[in-house]
Amino acid sequence: MVYSSKKLFLFFLSWIMLIFNYNTSGYVATANSIGLNYGLLGDNLPAPSNVLNLYKSIGITKIRIFDPNTEVLNALRGHNNIEVTVGVRDQDLAALAASEEAAKDWVATNIEPYLADVNISFITVGNEVIPGPIGPQVLPVMQSLTNLVKSRNLPIAVSTVVAMSNLKQSYPPSAGKFTSQAREQLVPVLKLLSQTSTPILVNIYPYFPYASDPTNIPLDYATFNTEVVVVQDGPLGYSNMFDAIFDAFVWAMEKEGVKDLPLVVSETGWPSAGNGNLTTLDIAGTYNRNFVKHVLSGKGTPKRPNNGMDGFLFATFNENQKPAGTEQNFGLYNPSDMKPIYKLF
């Protein structure tokens, strides 16, 4: 996507930001929005205050942090234009699941001190722990935190973040089906969320299936770079893999009796290095620019056309304490000088 000027892009972005409305009837998405994941697994990252200035300069008003980091949350004080998604750490789930009092203490320590001047919009309970050994801990923690939020009339939604490993089948999208473990652990969570139309947060990475089979999966299909239908699924035609994965998850939910539940794309992206010619600056830039264009277009997916979508790119910076290889190269900016790795915003 080519923008005539940075100012034009920021003006356009500011007008079509997603508007959240949280109340007892649930979550309503009325437009489309791009946010950024703010990971902290690096020993050379800029100060949070400088990162917030970066977000302001590129028009980002939604960020996701993976734990209630006090330095970041304190830096966010007074930046009410930035909506923050705060994660509960995976290692804290067991204690919170075992005791409602522990959940109260978690909120008192990690949320309450910031309510007056930090715009916390989401609490996410665990990151990609369903399906898995600690997956059953998610539902009781979500129930406790949801009850706490409701009892205090806080405009905060409580959900969890899941990966596409929950899908037993995803091709074609209409055959989307959950694994048996996902049916056991995820479906009760989805049904809890559906009571208030609170979204489930999903991580969707076309990079991974493409990298596993680059011979048979067209790169343009994986990177939103063609309008040609590659997968015809009954009356629905798919010209990009992202939509196909997204809709496979929607189909899987519907097979479990969960319909019309909103999805927020909590992570997507493409590494710019780490796996040879599958991870170049050009490919990463193409994918992320086209993802932004896709979300801001408001056209939705073939199964959910003209449906608002909220999407978070992963990630703000390359993080040198993540596993070596592609994991260290999903960032949009170099941490040392905060310069873009490739042109996006």
Side-chain angles (χ1 to χ4, degrees), residues 212-232:
S212 71
D213 192 11
T215 301
N216 293 308
I217 298 175
L219 179 60
D220 284 347
Y221 176 64
T223 58
F224 301 93
N225 217 29
T226 180
E227 296 295 327
V228 175
V229 170
V230 175
V231 173
Q232 188 69 45

Side-chain angles (χ1 to χ4, degrees), residues 130-131 135-143 146 158-160 162 166 178-196 198 200 249 252-253 256-258 261:
I130 294 176
Q137 298 168 359
V138 171
L139 182 61
V141 177
M142 283 182 58
Q143 289 170 324
T146 298
V158 178
S159 189
T160 189
V162 297
N166 283 279
F178 290 133
T179 66
S180 58
Q181 192 174 40
R183 294 185 69 197
E184 179 184 335
Q185 297 179 6
L186 178 59
V187 172
V189 168
L190 297 173
K191 292 188 174 179
L192 173 66
L193 294 171
S194 67
Q195 294 174 12
T196 54
T198 300
I200 181 72
F249 195 92
M253 290 196 301
E256 302 298 333
V258 178
L261 186 69

Side-chain angles (χ1 to χ4, degrees), residues 220-263:
D220 284 347
Y221 176 64
T223 58
F224 301 93
N225 217 29
T226 180
E227 296 295 327
V228 175
V229 170
V230 175
V231 173
Q232 188 69 45
D233 185 8
L236 305 179
Y238 291 86
S239 61
N240 69 80
M241 185 184 288
F242 174 91
D243 283 353
I245 297 171
F246 186 104
D247 281 357
F249 195 92
V250 173
W251 278 107
M253 290 196 301
E254 291 190 358
K255 289 183 175 71
E256 302 298 333
V258 178
K259 297 186 177 181
D260 301 321
L261 186 69
L263 271 65

Side-chain angles (χ1 to χ4, degrees), residues 10 203 209 212 223 227 240 252 279 282 341:
L10 295 180
N203 294 345
S212 71
T223 58
E227 296 295 327
N240 69 80
T279 53
D282 180 62
I341 294 171

Side-chain angles (χ1 to χ4, degrees), residues 63-85:
I63 66 171
R64 173 182 171 224
I65 57 176
F66 293 80
D67 61 79
N69 181 279
T70 54
E71 188 178 3
V72 173
L73 288 169
N74 279 321
L76 281 161
R77 292 186 186 276
H79 293 271
N80 290 326
N81 62 311
I82 297 180
E83 294 182 10
V84 188
T85 295

Side-chain angles (χ1 to χ4, degrees), residues 35-40 55 64 66 205 266-271 288 312-319 322 327 329-334 341-342 344-345:
L36 290 184
N37 284 273
Y38 182 4
L40 296 167
Y55 291 147
R64 173 182 171 224
F66 293 80
Y205 285 97
S266 40
E267 291 180 28
T268 194
W270 197 288
N288 282 329
F312 289 75
L313 286 169
F314 185 88
T316 304
F317 298 107
N318 280 341
E319 299 169 56
K322 299 197 78 172
E327 284 293 308
N329 290 285
F330 275 90
L332 306 179
Y333 293 88
N334 284 306
I341 294 171
Y342 46 82
L344 179 60
F345 295 111

